[in-house]
PDB file of all heavy atoms in Angstrom:
ATOM      1  N   THR M   1     -88.444 115.164 -76.132  1.00  0.00           N
ATOM      2  CA  THR M   1     -89.540 116.101 -76.421  1.00  0.00           C
ATOM      3  C   THR M   1     -90.448 116.281 -75.195  1.00  0.00           C
ATOM      4  O   THR M   1     -91.052 117.351 -75.053  1.00  0.00           O
ATOM      5  CB  THR M   1     -90.370 115.573 -77.598  1.00  0.00           C
ATOM      6  OG1 THR M   1     -90.826 114.226 -77.351  1.00  0.00           O
ATOM      7  CG2 THR M   1     -89.524 115.608 -78.891  1.00  0.00           C
ATOM      8  N   THR M   2     -90.617 115.239 -74.380  1.00  0.00           N
ATOM      9  CA  THR M   2     -91.420 115.407 -73.193  1.00  0.00           C
ATOM     10  C   THR M   2     -90.870 116.442 -72.225  1.00  0.00           C
ATOM     11  O   THR M   2     -91.519 117.340 -71.813  1.00  0.00           O
ATOM     12  CB  THR M   2     -91.614 114.066 -72.468  1.00  0.00           C
ATOM     13  OG1 THR M   2     -92.343 113.122 -73.294  1.00  0.00           O
ATOM     14  CG2 THR M   2     -92.360 114.259 -71.178  1.00  0.00           C
ATOM     15  N   ILE M   3     -89.556 116.232 -71.870  1.00  0.00           N
ATOM     16  CA  ILE M   3     -88.920 117.166 -70.954  1.00  0.00           C
ATOM     17  C   ILE M   3     -88.832 118.569 -71.525  1.00  0.00           C
ATOM     18  O   ILE M   3     -89.137 119.557 -70.878  1.00  0.00           O
ATOM     19  CB  ILE M   3     -87.515 116.661 -70.600  1.00  0.00           C
ATOM     20  CG1 ILE M   3     -87.621 115.372 -69.822  1.00  0.00           C
ATOM     21  CG2 ILE M   3     -86.737 117.745 -69.779  1.00  0.00           C
ATOM     22  CD1 ILE M   3     -86.283 114.673 -69.586  1.00  0.00           C
ATOM     23  N   GLY M   4     -88.478 118.676 -72.830  1.00  0.00           N
ATOM     24  CA  GLY M   4     -88.401 119.978 -73.459  1.00  0.00           C
ATOM     25  C   GLY M   4     -89.728 120.679 -73.542  1.00  0.00           C
ATOM     26  O   GLY M   4     -89.868 121.889 -73.256  1.00  0.00           O
ATOM     27  N   THR M   5     -90.801 119.953 -73.891  1.00  0.00           N
ATOM     28  CA  THR M   5     -92.110 120.567 -73.982  1.00  0.00           C
ATOM     29  C   THR M   5     -92.696 120.968 -72.650  1.00  0.00           C
ATOM     30  O   THR M   5     -93.249 122.047 -72.497  1.00  0.00           O
ATOM     31  CB  THR M   5     -93.087 119.612 -74.676  1.00  0.00           C
ATOM     32  OG1 THR M   5     -92.520 119.206 -75.951  1.00  0.00           O
ATOM     33  CG2 THR M   5     -94.446 120.239 -74.941  1.00  0.00           C
ATOM     34  N   VAL M   6     -92.541 120.112 -71.643  1.00  0.00           N
ATOM     35  CA  VAL M   6     -93.044 120.440 -70.323  1.00  0.00           C
ATOM     36  C   VAL M   6     -92.254 121.626 -69.759  1.00  0.00           C
ATOM     37  O   VAL M   6     -92.864 122.525 -69.136  1.00  0.00           O
ATOM     38  CB  VAL M   6     -92.896 119.238 -69.369  1.00  0.00           C
ATOM     39  CG1 VAL M   6     -93.198 119.645 -67.948  1.00  0.00           C
ATOM     40  CG2 VAL M   6     -93.840 118.102 -69.801  1.00  0.00           C
ATOM     41  N   SER M   7     -91.022 121.732 -69.974  1.00  0.00           N
ATOM     42  CA  SER M   7     -90.168 122.879 -69.509  1.00  0.00           C
ATOM     43  C   SER M   7     -90.616 124.147 -70.158  1.00  0.00           C
ATOM     44  O   SER M   7     -90.720 125.194 -69.549  1.00  0.00           O
ATOM     45  CB  SER M   7     -88.677 122.603 -69.781  1.00  0.00           C
ATOM     46  OG  SER M   7     -88.246 121.499 -69.056  1.00  0.00           O
ATOM     47  N   ALA M   8     -90.844 124.088 -71.460  1.00  0.00           N
ATOM     48  CA  ALA M   8     -91.275 125.328 -72.210  1.00  0.00           C
ATOM     49  C   ALA M   8     -92.675 125.765 -71.783  1.00  0.00           C
ATOM     50  O   ALA M   8     -92.868 126.966 -71.567  1.00  0.00           O
ATOM     51  CB  ALA M   8     -91.238 125.062 -73.736  1.00  0.00           C
ATOM     52  N   SER M   9     -93.557 124.816 -71.661  1.00  0.00           N
ATOM     53  CA  SER M   9     -94.915 125.177 -71.255  1.00  0.00           C
ATOM     54  C   SER M   9     -94.948 125.700 -69.788  1.00  0.00           C
ATOM     55  O   SER M   9     -95.784 126.521 -69.402  1.00  0.00           O
ATOM     56  CB  SER M   9     -95.874 124.000 -71.417  1.00  0.00           C
ATOM     57  OG  SER M   9     -95.444 122.892 -70.623  1.00  0.00           O
ATOM     58  N   GLU M  10     -93.999 125.242 -68.966  1.00  0.00           N
ATOM     59  CA  GLU M  10     -93.975 125.667 -67.563  1.00  0.00           C
ATOM     60  C   GLU M  10     -93.720 127.177 -67.493  1.00  0.00           C
ATOM     61  O   GLU M  10     -94.175 127.842 -66.597  1.00  0.00           O
ATOM     62  CB  GLU M  10     -92.886 124.900 -66.831  1.00  0.00           C
ATOM     63  CG  GLU M  10     -92.784 125.262 -65.362  1.00  0.00           C
ATOM     64  CD  GLU M  10     -91.764 124.497 -64.583  1.00  0.00           C
ATOM     65  OE1 GLU M  10     -90.855 123.901 -65.243  1.00  0.00           O
ATOM     66  OE2 GLU M  10     -91.802 124.472 -63.342  1.00  0.00           O
ATOM     67  N   PHE M  11     -92.973 127.719 -68.423  1.00  0.00           N
ATOM     68  CA  PHE M  11     -92.669 129.148 -68.362  1.00  0.00           C
ATOM     69  C   PHE M  11     -93.961 129.957 -68.542  1.00  0.00           C
ATOM     70  O   PHE M  11     -94.229 130.862 -67.793  1.00  0.00           O
ATOM     71  CB  PHE M  11     -91.724 129.554 -69.542  1.00  0.00           C
ATOM     72  CG  PHE M  11     -91.677 131.042 -69.777  1.00  0.00           C
ATOM     73  CD1 PHE M  11     -91.099 131.881 -68.885  1.00  0.00           C
ATOM     74  CD2 PHE M  11     -92.189 131.559 -70.929  1.00  0.00           C
ATOM     75  CE1 PHE M  11     -91.043 133.258 -69.069  1.00  0.00           C
ATOM     76  CE2 PHE M  11     -92.185 132.940 -71.149  1.00  0.00           C
ATOM     77  CZ  PHE M  11     -91.580 133.775 -70.246  1.00  0.00           C
ATOM     78  N   VAL M  12     -94.842 129.533 -69.472  1.00  0.00           N
ATOM     79  CA  VAL M  12     -96.090 130.269 -69.677  1.00  0.00           C
ATOM     80  C   VAL M  12     -97.006 130.083 -68.490  1.00  0.00           C
ATOM     81  O   VAL M  12     -97.610 131.077 -68.012  1.00  0.00           O
ATOM     82  CB  VAL M  12     -96.800 129.760 -70.957  1.00  0.00           C
ATOM     83  CG1 VAL M  12     -98.106 130.478 -71.172  1.00  0.00           C
ATOM     84  CG2 VAL M  12     -95.873 129.888 -72.204  1.00  0.00           C
ATOM     85  N   VAL M  13     -97.106 128.877 -67.960  1.00  0.00           N
ATOM     86  CA  VAL M  13     -97.949 128.612 -66.835  1.00  0.00           C
ATOM     87  C   VAL M  13     -97.480 129.394 -65.612  1.00  0.00           C
ATOM     88  O   VAL M  13     -98.277 130.027 -64.875  1.00  0.00           O
ATOM     89  CB  VAL M  13     -97.980 127.102 -66.496  1.00  0.00           C
ATOM     90  CG1 VAL M  13     -98.812 126.864 -65.192  1.00  0.00           C
ATOM     91  CG2 VAL M  13     -98.642 126.321 -67.654  1.00  0.00           C
ATOM     92  N   THR M  14     -96.142 129.413 -65.379  1.00  0.00           N
ATOM     93  CA  THR M  14     -95.609 130.116 -64.263  1.00  0.00           C
ATOM     94  C   THR M  14     -95.841 131.623 -64.387  1.00  0.00           C
ATOM     95  O   THR M  14     -96.119 132.326 -63.434  1.00  0.00           O
ATOM     96  CB  THR M  14     -94.066 129.901 -64.175  1.00  0.00           C
ATOM     97  OG1 THR M  14     -93.830 128.465 -63.991  1.00  0.00           O
ATOM     98  CG2 THR M  14     -93.440 130.619 -63.020  1.00  0.00           C
ATOM     99  N   LEU M  15     -95.700 132.136 -65.587  1.00  0.00           N
ATOM    100  CA  LEU M  15     -95.946 133.546 -65.852  1.00  0.00           C
ATOM    101  C   LEU M  15     -97.381 133.913 -65.523  1.00  0.00           C
ATOM    102  O   LEU M  15     -97.674 134.941 -64.856  1.00  0.00           O
ATOM    103  CB  LEU M  15     -95.641 133.916 -67.268  1.00  0.00           C
ATOM    104  CG  LEU M  15     -95.756 135.382 -67.697  1.00  0.00           C
ATOM    105  CD1 LEU M  15     -94.762 136.252 -66.882  1.00  0.00           C
ATOM    106  CD2 LEU M  15     -95.431 135.559 -69.184  1.00  0.00           C
ATOM    107  N   VAL M  16     -98.361 133.098 -65.980  1.00  0.00           N
ATOM    108  CA  VAL M  16     -99.753 133.334 -65.731  1.00  0.00           C
ATOM    109  C   VAL M  16    -100.059 133.295 -64.232  1.00  0.00           C
ATOM    110  O   VAL M  16    -100.771 134.157 -63.687  1.00  0.00           O
ATOM    111  CB  VAL M  16    -100.617 132.304 -66.452  1.00  0.00           C
ATOM    112  CG1 VAL M  16    -102.080 132.390 -65.973  1.00  0.00           C
ATOM    113  CG2 VAL M  16    -100.556 132.497 -67.943  1.00  0.00           C
ATOM    114  N   VAL M  17     -99.517 132.315 -63.501  1.00  0.00           N
ATOM    115  CA  VAL M  17     -99.701 132.184 -62.076  1.00  0.00           C
ATOM    116  C   VAL M  17     -99.139 133.407 -61.359  1.00  0.00           C
ATOM    117  O   VAL M  17     -99.755 133.964 -60.413  1.00  0.00           O
ATOM    118  CB  VAL M  17     -99.087 130.900 -61.539  1.00  0.00           C
ATOM    119  CG1 VAL M  17     -99.092 130.864 -60.018  1.00  0.00           C
ATOM    120  CG2 VAL M  17     -99.801 129.673 -62.071  1.00  0.00           C
ATOM    121  N   SER M  18     -97.925 133.812 -61.749  1.00  0.00           N
ATOM    122  CA  SER M  18     -97.300 134.973 -61.104  1.00  0.00           C
ATOM    123  C   SER M  18     -98.100 136.257 -61.288  1.00  0.00           C
ATOM    124  O   SER M  18     -98.338 137.044 -60.386  1.00  0.00           O
ATOM    125  CB  SER M  18     -95.868 135.176 -61.678  1.00  0.00           C
ATOM    126  OG  SER M  18     -95.080 134.078 -61.368  1.00  0.00           O
ATOM    127  N   ILE M  19     -98.594 136.461 -62.529  1.00  0.00           N
ATOM    128  CA  ILE M  19     -99.418 137.634 -62.800  1.00  0.00           C
ATOM    129  C   ILE M  19    -100.713 137.600 -61.973  1.00  0.00           C
ATOM    130  O   ILE M  19    -101.149 138.663 -61.427  1.00  0.00           O
ATOM    131  CB  ILE M  19     -99.768 137.740 -64.312  1.00  0.00           C
ATOM    132  CG1 ILE M  19     -98.499 138.007 -65.126  1.00  0.00           C
ATOM    133  CG2 ILE M  19    -100.830 138.817 -64.587  1.00  0.00           C
ATOM    134  CD1 ILE M  19     -98.709 137.958 -66.622  1.00  0.00           C
ATOM    135  N   THR M  20    -101.297 136.398 -61.823  1.00  0.00           N
ATOM    136  CA  THR M  20    -102.521 136.275 -61.040  1.00  0.00           C
ATOM    137  C   THR M  20    -102.245 136.661 -59.594  1.00  0.00           C
ATOM    138  O   THR M  20    -103.017 137.376 -58.904  1.00  0.00           O
ATOM    139  CB  THR M  20    -103.025 134.818 -61.079  1.00  0.00           C
ATOM    140  OG1 THR M  20    -103.296 134.478 -62.448  1.00  0.00           O
ATOM    141  CG2 THR M  20    -104.354 134.714 -60.324  1.00  0.00           C
ATOM    142  N   PHE M  21    -101.134 136.220 -59.021  1.00  0.00           N
ATOM    143  CA  PHE M  21    -100.761 136.547 -57.653  1.00  0.00           C
ATOM    144  C   PHE M  21    -100.502 138.026 -57.529  1.00  0.00           C
ATOM    145  O   PHE M  21    -100.926 138.672 -56.547  1.00  0.00           O
ATOM    146  CB  PHE M  21     -99.512 135.770 -57.232  1.00  0.00           C
ATOM    147  CG  PHE M  21     -99.816 134.384 -56.742  1.00  0.00           C
ATOM    148  CD1 PHE M  21     -99.148 133.271 -57.298  1.00  0.00           C
ATOM    149  CD2 PHE M  21    -100.675 134.132 -55.701  1.00  0.00           C
ATOM    150  CE1 PHE M  21     -99.433 131.989 -56.883  1.00  0.00           C
ATOM    151  CE2 PHE M  21    -100.913 132.885 -55.237  1.00  0.00           C
ATOM    152  CZ  PHE M  21    -100.292 131.800 -55.852  1.00  0.00           C
ATOM    153  N   ILE M  22     -99.818 138.651 -58.438  1.00  0.00           N
ATOM    154  CA  ILE M  22     -99.529 140.076 -58.357  1.00  0.00           C
ATOM    155  C   ILE M  22    -100.786 140.899 -58.429  1.00  0.00           C
ATOM    156  O   ILE M  22    -100.948 141.872 -57.676  1.00  0.00           O
ATOM    157  CB  ILE M  22     -98.580 140.473 -59.548  1.00  0.00           C
ATOM    158  CG1 ILE M  22     -97.206 139.843 -59.374  1.00  0.00           C
ATOM    159  CG2 ILE M  22     -98.466 141.992 -59.661  1.00  0.00           C
ATOM    160  CD1 ILE M  22     -96.266 140.067 -60.471  1.00  0.00           C
ATOM    161  N   LEU M  23    -101.755 140.480 -59.241  1.00  0.00           N
ATOM    162  CA  LEU M  23    -103.029 141.268 -59.345  1.00  0.00           C
ATOM    163  C   LEU M  23    -103.898 141.053 -58.142  1.00  0.00           C
ATOM    164  O   LEU M  23    -104.771 141.920 -57.823  1.00  0.00           O
ATOM    165  CB  LEU M  23    -103.776 140.779 -60.583  1.00  0.00           C
ATOM    166  CG  LEU M  23    -103.095 141.150 -61.949  1.00  0.00           C
ATOM    167  CD1 LEU M  23    -103.915 140.572 -63.092  1.00  0.00           C
ATOM    168  CD2 LEU M  23    -102.966 142.646 -62.135  1.00  0.00           C
ATOM    169  N   THR M  24    -103.728 139.968 -57.409  1.00  0.00           N
ATOM    170  CA  THR M  24    -104.570 139.703 -56.276  1.00  0.00           C
ATOM    171  C   THR M  24    -103.960 140.052 -54.944  1.00  0.00           C
ATOM    172  O   THR M  24    -104.615 140.700 -54.114  1.00  0.00           O
ATOM    173  CB  THR M  24    -104.975 138.193 -56.265  1.00  0.00           C
ATOM    174  OG1 THR M  24    -103.790 137.372 -56.313  1.00  0.00           O
ATOM    175  CG2 THR M  24    -105.885 137.824 -57.386  1.00  0.00           C
ATOM    176  N   ILE M  25    -102.748 139.693 -54.721  1.00  0.00           N
ATOM    177  CA  ILE M  25    -102.101 139.971 -53.422  1.00  0.00           C
ATOM    178  C   ILE M  25    -100.828 140.814 -53.538  1.00  0.00           C
ATOM    179  O   ILE M  25    -100.268 141.171 -52.519  1.00  0.00           O
ATOM    180  CB  ILE M  25    -101.769 138.661 -52.665  1.00  0.00           C
ATOM    181  CG1 ILE M  25    -100.747 137.848 -53.391  1.00  0.00           C
ATOM    182  CG2 ILE M  25    -103.041 137.866 -52.376  1.00  0.00           C
ATOM    183  CD1 ILE M  25    -100.238 136.638 -52.620  1.00  0.00           C
ATOM    184  N   GLY M  26    -100.398 141.074 -54.734  1.00  0.00           N
ATOM    185  CA  GLY M  26     -99.162 141.773 -54.933  1.00  0.00           C
ATOM    186  C   GLY M  26     -97.934 140.895 -54.778  1.00  0.00           C
ATOM    187  O   GLY M  26     -98.079 139.681 -54.574  1.00  0.00           O
ATOM    188  N   LEU M  27     -96.816 141.479 -54.714  1.00  0.00           N
ATOM    189  CA  LEU M  27     -95.568 140.749 -54.515  1.00  0.00           C
ATOM    190  C   LEU M  27     -94.738 141.465 -53.477  1.00  0.00           C
ATOM    191  O   LEU M  27     -93.850 142.244 -53.777  1.00  0.00           O
ATOM    192  CB  LEU M  27     -94.788 140.606 -55.848  1.00  0.00           C
ATOM    193  CG  LEU M  27     -93.599 139.615 -55.838  1.00  0.00           C
ATOM    194  CD1 LEU M  27     -94.062 138.209 -55.519  1.00  0.00           C
ATOM    195  CD2 LEU M  27     -92.885 139.603 -57.203  1.00  0.00           C
ATOM    196  N   ASP M  28     -95.043 141.219 -52.191  1.00  0.00           N
ATOM    197  CA  ASP M  28     -94.395 141.943 -51.115  1.00  0.00           C
ATOM    198  C   ASP M  28     -93.133 141.236 -50.589  1.00  0.00           C
ATOM    199  O   ASP M  28     -92.336 141.891 -49.884  1.00  0.00           O
ATOM    200  CB  ASP M  28     -95.393 142.073 -49.943  1.00  0.00           C
ATOM    201  CG  ASP M  28     -96.609 142.910 -50.325  1.00  0.00           C
ATOM    202  OD1 ASP M  28     -96.475 143.815 -51.188  1.00  0.00           O
ATOM    203  OD2 ASP M  28     -97.711 142.599 -49.810  1.00  0.00           O
ATOM    204  N   HIS M  29     -92.952 139.986 -50.899  1.00  0.00           N
ATOM    205  CA  HIS M  29     -91.831 139.213 -50.343  1.00  0.00           C
ATOM    206  C   HIS M  29     -90.681 139.245 -51.379  1.00  0.00           C
ATOM    207  O   HIS M  29     -90.246 138.171 -51.794  1.00  0.00           O
ATOM    208  CB  HIS M  29     -92.302 137.833 -50.009  1.00  0.00           C
ATOM    209  CG  HIS M  29     -93.343 137.745 -48.982  1.00  0.00           C
ATOM    210  ND1 HIS M  29     -93.065 137.737 -47.598  1.00  0.00           N
ATOM    211  CD2 HIS M  29     -94.715 137.790 -49.072  1.00  0.00           C
ATOM    212  CE1 HIS M  29     -94.191 137.695 -46.914  1.00  0.00           C
ATOM    213  NE2 HIS M  29     -95.191 137.743 -47.775  1.00  0.00           N
ATOM    214  N   LEU M  30     -90.196 140.443 -51.683  1.00  0.00           N
ATOM    215  CA  LEU M  30     -89.103 140.552 -52.674  1.00  0.00           C
ATOM    216  C   LEU M  30     -87.842 139.920 -52.176  1.00  0.00           C
ATOM    217  O   LEU M  30     -87.065 139.410 -52.972  1.00  0.00           O
ATOM    218  CB  LEU M  30     -88.889 142.054 -52.939  1.00  0.00           C
ATOM    219  CG  LEU M  30     -87.912 142.346 -54.119  1.00  0.00           C
ATOM    220  CD1 LEU M  30     -88.375 141.755 -55.374  1.00  0.00           C
ATOM    221  CD2 LEU M  30     -87.673 143.844 -54.226  1.00  0.00           C
ATOM    222  N   GLU M  31     -87.631 139.932 -50.873  1.00  0.00           N
ATOM    223  CA  GLU M  31     -86.444 139.308 -50.236  1.00  0.00           C
ATOM    224  C   GLU M  31     -86.362 137.842 -50.591  1.00  0.00           C
ATOM    225  O   GLU M  31     -85.331 137.268 -50.923  1.00  0.00           O
ATOM    226  CB  GLU M  31     -86.397 139.528 -48.768  1.00  0.00           C
ATOM    227  CG  GLU M  31     -85.154 139.003 -48.090  1.00  0.00           C
ATOM    228  CD  GLU M  31     -85.172 139.360 -46.614  1.00  0.00           C
ATOM    229  OE1 GLU M  31     -86.228 139.584 -46.045  1.00  0.00           O
ATOM    230  OE2 GLU M  31     -84.054 139.359 -45.993  1.00  0.00           O
TER     231      GLU M  31
END
């Protein structure tokens, strides 16, 4: 349950962080 829960919550955290970066600096390094 620890590994499963941390992995599942990581998706939400990663999504929030990515959106924050896109709104602030964009995503220019597509390569």
